[in-house]
Amino acid sequence: MSQAAGTLYVISAPSGAGKTSLVKALLEKTEGIGVSISHTTRAMRPGEINGKDYHFIDQAQFQQMVADGAFLEHAQVFDNFYGTATANIRSKLEEGEDVILEIDWQGAAQVRKQIPECVSIFILPPSRAALEQRLRGRGQDSDEIIARRMRDAESETSHYGEYDYLVVNDDFDTALDDLRSIILAQRCRITVQTRRLAPLLKELLD
């Protein structure tokens, strides 16, 4: 995968920081980039579509994929399991498409070991109070679950130093611009451009 034409982006954030909304907006404004669809054992939420938001499978199917070595990374988050199928990532990168992985710090650490050239981004909320307000605003979780998510958010955030970039999601448009700037700058790196512009470089230098 090190010779792939596309770039793999790993994006992590504590629950409620706005990662999913930012990635969705990024995809709408940026060509040549897609998001990897993970496998999960958690229940489907209202409005979600199997095969579009996640590949929803049961624990037996998930454990079989683990046994088969089918995952690039996999982890347990809360009471559920999440994993990224290696074959899906490989095919997209080889076709020259940039790929985003929305995963937690555990999965990010696994990916870095296998694909050290990946670009990692951590998204922070503007404050602890804002994070809790966003979690409560969803109207999906009990006080007990929100309290647990806040504790886990602190644990997740403690790993920010393992990432290449930090983006604060205070003003949404500003955070989106920051995120998109990282993608565009990465595409101009010499290692990336040398692969993508090989025909032009050959013509200019022959």
Side-chain angles (χ1 to χ4, degrees):
M1 295 174 69
S2 60
Q3 299 301 313
T7 298
L8 180 62
Y9 294 90
V10 174
I11 302 183
S12 304
S15 179
K19 168 173 58 67
T20 301
S21 296
L22 282 170
V23 169
K24 180 180 179 181
L26 175 69
L27 296 176
E28 292 174 352
K29 294 188 65 174
T30 311
E31 295 183 357
I33 190 166
V35 64
S36 173
I37 302 173
S38 299
H39 289 69
T40 184
T41 61
R42 78 158 170 79
M44 192 183 306
R45 294 172 181 166
E48 289 184 329
I49 300 173
N50 187 32
K52 178 180 179 182
D53 298 289
Y54 285 96
H55 296 293
F56 295 95
I57 59 176
D58 61 31
Q59 288 202 16
Q61 290 174 298
F62 192 95
Q63 294 304 327
Q64 185 60 55
M65 290 184 71
V66 172
D68 293 340
F71 288 128
L72 173 65
E73 59 80 28
H74 62 90
Q76 182 175 359
V77 182
F78 301 121
D79 300 321
N80 300 299
F81 294 90
Y82 296 79
T84 302
T86 303
N88 294 346
I89 299 297
R90 180 183 290 114
S91 62
K92 289 178 181 294
L93 293 178
E94 289 177 350
E95 291 170 2
E97 182 178 356
D98 291 334
V99 181
I100 292 175
L101 281 183
E102 296 182 64
I103 51 179
D104 74 335
W105 72 268
Q106 300 175 73
Q110 293 178 53
V111 172
R112 286 191 205 94
K113 289 181 180 179
Q114 297 193 54
I115 311 177
E117 66 271 22
C118 72
V119 177
S120 57
I121 306 166
F122 197 92
I123 298 173
L124 294 168
S127 68
R128 189 181 185 89
L131 181 63
E132 183 171 355
Q133 182 179 19
R134 290 174 183 177
L135 288 172
R136 292 190 181 280
R138 291 176 174 178
Q140 296 176 341
D141 300 319
S142 65
D143 288 344
E144 181 182 356
I145 292 177
I146 288 175
R148 185 174 69 170
R149 288 189 182 276
M150 289 298 295
R151 291 193 300 270
D152 287 338
E154 182 176 349
S155 175
E156 181 87 16
T157 303
S158 71
H159 293 272
Y160 77 89
E162 301 167 12
Y163 290 73
D164 299 314
Y165 296 93
L166 278 177
V167 172
V168 178
N169 185 16
D170 186 358
D171 177 76
F172 185 86
D173 289 338
T174 299
L176 177 58
D177 286 343
D178 289 346
L179 194 58
R180 192 162 185 267
S181 294
I182 294 169
I183 306 298
L184 297 181
Q186 174 66 23
R187 289 179 174 179
C188 292
R189 289 180 63 87
I190 188 69
T191 52
V192 176
Q193 291 288 63
T194 298
R195 294 195 303 266
R196 290 180 170 169
L197 300 179
L200 173 61
L201 290 170
K202 185 177 185 303
E203 178 190 347
L204 293 173
L205 294 174
D206 279 352

